[in-house]
Amino acid sequence: MTDLKAVDYLRKAEFIKNLEAVSDIQAIDTMLSALSHKPEVADAAELRRAVFERQKMDPPLLAGGTAIPHARTDSVRSVVTAIATSRFPIMFGETPVRLMFLIGVPNAAVGEYLQITSFLARNLRGGHLLDRLMNAENIQQFVAAFAEG
Amino acid sequence: MATTEEVKKRKRLSPALRRLLILKLWLVERFRLRERQATLIWATFIGFCGAMLSEGFRKVSELLHYLGTGSDAGLIEAFRQLPPWQRLAVPTIGSLLAGLTLWIGSRLIASVRQKSTTDYMEAIVVGNGLISIRASLVKIISALFSISSGASIGSEGPLVQLSSLFASLVGRFRNLPVPQRRHLVACGAAAGIASAYNAPIAGAFFVAEIVLGTVVVESLGPLILASVIATFTTRAMHGEGALYRSPDLDLHTRWELIPMLFLGPVLGFLAPVYMRLLRSVELLFTKLTIPVPFKLGIGGAVVGTIAIFYPEVCGNGKGLLVSLFHQNWFSDEILLLLVVKLIATSVTFGSGAVGGVFTPTLFTGAALGTLYGQAVLYFAPGLQPDPVIYGLVGMGSFLAATTGAPLMAILMVFELTLSYSIVPLLMVACVLGYYGNSIFEKRFLYGESLERKGAAFFNQQLAEISILDLIKRDPLTLPKNATFAEIAQTFVQHQFQHVYIVDKDKRLLGAVSLHDVKSFLDRPELQTVVIAADIMNENFPRVSPLQGMGEALRTFSAVQAERLPVVDNLSSQRLIGSISKTDLIIHLAGDQGALKTALSGAS
């Protein structure tokens, strides 16, 4: 799988501009709600359980204020993604976060999971992209910002 | 005191001595006895001793035959001279004694755990080249009673058993490695066949084609040597000569080629009927819930009853074969004898008597071929066919069809007749017979038995070992929150395909596969974002010592993994070690030394 495939998944993502939440749990729940109607999600409750269980273990966070809550679970039929930006930092543990990627991956799709995670971690590592991503109004602008680097 | 120069001079070799040393090195290098040459020497020894043992078996068999019938004539002739009650009594009592020997033998041997087989084919193909002495002797003594009392079964079985046993003993005595031991047992079998039929080429090819399944020079060379030596030894005692020196093939018209060409397929189509008859009667006897001596006794009684009217059914059929080719029999006589001989052979074989069906198969093929030739003579007298030629070609064709070894069949008939002129037609008939049979049957006479024994041996090997015997303790594990950096480091440092993920109580949670992560091992950005729990396979197969090794083998076949995690039991899932596919294969191959090294190397 190439980076293009990862971009493809992002293009199909549910995009939430200026998500308002007082906690990481509320933020994740809002994103899960946005995904729950998607045909790829077979069991929304199980997806929620899996995501929060993973959060309890070691919340995946990137420097610069990005969170990647995710789960590998058969409650999704294929990769589903929700992206959210927030005007105000939301505390994920002790880390303030303004950009969130929620990813659900089927159990068998280890390669896809690693590809998407690797793509996000690589591109968001420096934080230079963060401002452009935060200013995106919709998913097209968001993906375009990635493309511009 | 010697000066340094003098010491140097003394140490320096003279040119002549140096040349001698070079010559010695050259000779040692060229003529050092390697494994291959050593096998040839042993093959020669086994060929000679195999023939001597075969001769000893014949002599004892003749003595028992004399004691039973009071005649030193051949089996058929001796039975002709007996009154009817004795024709019935001799095979019945002989078979009862043969059965009693097997019964007592099995009781005695059952108390000793067998590490070796009694079957030479099994010892060569799937075994370790060791043949049980006690069990073999029981089989040989039983065969002596059956054969000498007129049972309708071949003596080639015990002859091969005897020389294979001797070869196995040589391998055991010399403490040779398993492959060499197996090869020597194969040489013993070739010597046994060669001395039984006075057929050195066919003896070697019988073992190569049927047992080894290969005719490469590496394995064929010692077989040829053993069978040639065995034949020469037998000839030295009995003189030379073909079983039936065939007249030269003289086709009166080329049109005769047409019925000749159809002979192979016709006999090929009849071969499955013959094999199914043998199998069905054998199955019938297995359903009888009576002691072994009585089973064999029934077989003997049936042969005896037939012998009251047709004493020709007694023995392996060699006498009948010679008579068929030397006397002009009518077709109804041949048909009748064929039917009674088939009944006698199938009942003897089915009752469990020790012996072979090789010679009875030769007779069946020869009788069918002769009948076919007589039919050609009847319907197309203008072709002036010689039914004997059809009988000879039919014999080879039927042998090729039933044994699945056309090459051996061609050579066997050639050696039995020493007639080169029939060879081209024989070759065609053997090949067509083989293919004709293959349409209906996928299993052959010897292959079927070997297949059964191979499967039994394999299952026994699996049953003999438990998962705990092959376990390697303390496998490499990581916790479920191990970072991708730790996982990558583990895969780089250790040559494992999977890393097991456990919780704090050592419960197996899953496994991370190198296959899944190898393209990402050089991605530093993943080092802290991804943890083991994100990428492990929670349903990775596992085994428990409570399961059998057969179950472990089935689990291995369902997953592409060199190792399987072993948990104490499938409910608690506590990881106690792992087993490797390679160790299991080494065990199944019977190489205990290599297995110990492999297991100790890992601990």
Side-chain angles (χ1 to χ4, degrees):
Chain A
M1 199 172 78
T2 62
D3 281 354
L4 285 175
K5 190 83 178 169
V7 172
D8 239 19
Y9 283 126
L10 295 183
R11 198 170 278 132
K12 291 178 201 160
E14 290 294 315
F15 184 71
I16 305 169
K17 172 82 179 163
N18 296 336
L19 181 144
E20 287 183 8
V22 293
S23 68
D24 54 350
I25 296 174
Q26 194 185 1
I28 292 169
D29 265 335
T30 309
M31 294 168 86
L32 283 166
S33 302
L35 287 177
S36 61
H37 68 277
K38 289 184 81 91
E40 292 92 335
V41 178
D43 185 344
E46 173 56 26
L47 175 63
R48 183 180 189 279
R49 191 202 61 76
V51 170
F52 280 111
E53 192 174 302
R54 172 64 180 89
Q55 282 296 106
K56 267 190 245 167
M57 257 188 266
D58 185 12
L61 297 165
L62 299 176
T66 304
I68 314 177
H70 67 263
R72 249 181 72 229
T73 164
D74 283 335
S75 63
V76 293
R77 297 186 181 96
S78 61
V79 178
V80 288
T81 318
I83 300 168
T85 59
S86 170
R87 271 187 293 180
F88 306 104
I90 301 167
M91 295 309 286
F92 274 66
E94 291 173 1
T95 310
V97 166
R98 289 180 62 208
L99 179 60
M100 290 149 284
F101 295 85
L102 190 144
I103 306 166
V105 186
N107 262 325
V110 178
E112 278 94 331
Y113 163 71
L114 285 172
Q115 190 66 38
I116 297 167
T117 316
S118 167
F119 174 80
L120 293 176
R122 196 169 61 249
N123 284 287
L124 298 170
R125 200 166 28 181
H128 63 281
L129 198 59
L130 207 59
D131 286 342
R132 262 184 287 160
L133 293 172
M134 293 300 297
N135 291 331
E137 289 298 322
N138 50 42
I139 192 67
Q140 288 78 18
Q141 285 181 13
F142 192 89
V143 172
F146 265 114
E148 286 163 17
Chain B
M1 200 173 162
T3 64
T4 317
E5 194 58 33
E6 279 169 340
V7 171
K8 274 184 185 173
K9 251 185 186 174
R10 267 184 231 157
K11 280 186 178 174
R12 211 175 290 152
L13 295 172
S14 70
L17 195 58
R18 199 167 61 238
R19 269 197 290 276
L20 273 173
L21 273 174
I22 290 169
L23 179 67
K24 184 190 166 192
L25 276 174
W26 186 86
L27 287 170
V28 166
E29 189 62 30
R30 291 289 178 282
F31 297 101
R32 192 177 52 191
L33 204 62
R34 292 186 175 87
E35 186 189 307
R36 208 184 294 177
Q37 287 86 351
T39 306
L40 287 177
I41 292 170
W42 285 119
T44 309
F45 181 59
I46 287 166
F48 173 76
C49 295
M52 293 305 287
L53 286 167
S54 298
E55 185 57 19
F57 180 89
R58 280 195 202 99
K59 293 287 179 208
V60 178
S61 173
E62 281 168 16
L63 177 69
L64 286 174
H65 162 63
Y66 178 77
L67 291 174
T69 62
S71 166
D72 56 1
L75 264 173
I76 296 174
E77 196 48 45
F79 267 77
R80 275 199 188 116
Q81 293 164 8
L82 292 178
W85 71 268
Q86 217 175 336
R87 289 187 194 179
L88 172 65
V90 172
T92 309
I93 295 168
S95 297
L96 273 170
L97 287 173
L100 207 61
T101 310
L102 288 179
W103 187 72
I104 295 170
S106 67
R107 298 250 153 171
L108 291 175
I109 293 161
S111 58
V112 185
R113 199 180 175 210
Q114 291 292 308
K115 283 283 179 191
S116 48
T117 173
T118 58
D119 187 279
Y120 73 95
M121 284 203 268
E122 190 182 326
I124 296 165
V125 181
V126 291
N128 50 12
L130 298 179
I131 297 178
S132 160
I133 303 169
R134 271 177 282 198
S136 293
L137 289 177
V138 166
K139 281 175 84 172
I140 290 162
I141 294 167
S142 173
L144 273 170
F145 283 125
S146 296
I147 291 163
S148 59
S149 63
S152 177
I153 204 153
S155 61
E156 74 281 354
L159 293 186
V160 172
Q161 181 76 32
L162 204 53
S163 49
S164 301
L165 172 65
F166 176 76
S168 167
L169 288 175
V170 169
R172 196 184 303 198
F173 176 70
R174 295 291 305 160
N175 204 16
L176 297 173
V178 171
Q180 220 175 334
R181 274 205 309 252
R182 286 175 172 168
H183 206 164
L184 289 190
V185 176
C187 291
I193 293 279
S195 60
Y197 293 97
N198 197 11
I201 315 175
F205 275 82
F206 176 91
V207 178
E209 205 175 7
I210 295 176
V211 185
L212 297 178
T214 173
V215 286
V216 294
V217 177
E218 197 71 20
S219 54
L220 195 60
L223 297 181
I224 288 175
L225 204 59
S227 58
V228 167
I229 296 293
T231 309
F232 282 161
T233 310
T234 308
R235 282 180 186 173
M237 290 179 280
H238 292 279
E240 295 186 24
L243 174 76
Y244 174 73
R245 196 175 285 276
S246 149
D248 281 343
L249 176 67
D250 184 17
L251 295 178
H252 291 92
T253 158
R254 285 183 187 167
W255 290 107
E256 201 188 338
L257 282 174
I258 296 171
M260 269 288 184
L261 285 177
F262 279 99
L263 177 60
V266 167
L267 292 196
F269 295 154
L270 289 172
V273 181
Y274 172 72
M275 288 193 282
R276 278 172 205 183
L277 172 74
L278 293 180
R279 257 182 246 142
S280 308
V281 179
E282 194 181 9
L283 191 68
L284 212 64
F285 270 96
T286 55
K287 286 181 181 165
L288 287 179
T289 50
I290 52 172
V292 174
F294 295 119
K295 281 189 186 179
L296 267 75
I298 291 174
V302 171
V303 175
T305 309
I306 300 172
I308 294 173
F309 309 98
Y310 306 101
E312 293 85 356
V313 296
C314 294
N316 59 6
K318 192 175 171 183
L320 214 50
L321 204 57
V322 175
S323 159
L324 180 72
F325 291 143
H326 285 90
Q327 295 165 11
N328 290 321
W329 287 15
F330 293 113
S331 51
D332 53 344
E333 288 175 320
I334 299 173
L335 191 63
L336 187 68
L337 271 178
L338 176 63
V339 171
V340 291
K341 185 68 185 165
L342 278 175
I343 295 170
T345 302
S346 56
V347 168
T348 309
F349 179 72
S351 69
V354 180
V357 287
F358 197 89
T359 316
T361 304
L362 285 178
F363 170 73
T364 308
L368 288 170
T370 310
L371 281 172
Y372 179 91
Q374 293 196 344
V376 174
L377 184 63
Y378 180 79
F379 290 108
L383 297 177
Q384 298 179 32
D386 180 358
V388 169
I389 298 289
Y390 285 80
L392 290 169
V393 176
M395 182 166 75
S397 173
F398 198 69
L399 188 64
T402 50
T403 58
L407 192 56
M408 180 276 299
I410 294 163
L411 293 166
M412 177 60 86
V413 175
F414 170 63
E415 289 190 300
L416 290 179
T417 61
L418 292 179
S419 165
Y420 182 73
S421 61
I422 67 160
V423 169
L425 275 175
L426 181 68
M427 288 168 79
V428 175
C430 285
V431 171
L432 292 179
Y434 167 77
Y435 282 107
N437 174 60
S438 307
I439 295 171
F440 304 104
E441 273 289 339
K442 299 292 169 222
R443 293 180 299 174
F444 301 101
L445 271 184
Y446 297 95
E448 189 187 351
S449 143
L450 192 59
E451 202 176 283
R452 247 190 347 242
K453 281 165 180 162
F457 182 82
F458 180 73
N459 289 335
Q460 187 195 337
Q461 288 277 88
L462 274 184
E464 272 179 3
I465 194 162
S466 85
I467 285 173
L468 285 176
D469 294 329
L470 294 183
I471 199 169
K472 284 178 184 168
R473 303 274 175 183
D474 302 322
L476 200 63
T477 59
L478 285 174
K480 64 179 176 180
N481 58 355
T483 62
F484 194 76
E486 289 172 282
I487 296 167
Q489 193 183 354
T490 306
F491 277 126
V492 170
Q493 284 176 350
H494 305 276
Q495 290 187 332
F496 289 136
Q497 296 293 312
H498 295 91
V499 173
Y500 305 133
I501 309 301
V502 293
D503 66 10
K504 60 181 182 348
D505 298 323
K506 279 270 180 189
R507 278 193 327 118
L508 181 68
L509 302 173
V512 175
S513 158
L514 175 63
H515 176 77
D516 287 339
V517 301
K518 64 184 171 196
S519 326
F520 301 93
L521 292 178
D522 58 347
R523 306 270 176 100
E525 67 273 12
L526 289 176
Q527 283 184 1
T528 52
V529 187
V530 173
I531 60 170
D534 294 334
I535 50 176
M536 73 182 179
N537 175 3
E538 289 169 11
N539 300 317
F540 192 78
R542 58 207 67 188
V543 290
S544 139
L546 304 174
Q547 294 173 296
M549 197 49 91
E551 189 65 38
L553 201 62
R554 274 190 288 280
T555 312
F556 265 127
S557 66
V559 62
Q560 280 201 335
E562 163 58 24
R563 311 193 67 81
L564 279 180
V566 180
V567 291
D568 56 352
N569 66 61
L570 293 176
S571 53
S572 73
Q573 300 280 339
R574 203 174 61 83
L575 185 72
I576 55 172
S578 70
I579 55 166
S580 123
K581 203 188 284 182
T582 307
D583 291 345
L584 181 55
I585 291 168
I586 291 173
H587 166 74
L588 291 176
D591 197 342
Q592 297 305 318
L595 182 62
K596 274 180 195 163
T597 311
L599 289 172
S600 62
S603 56

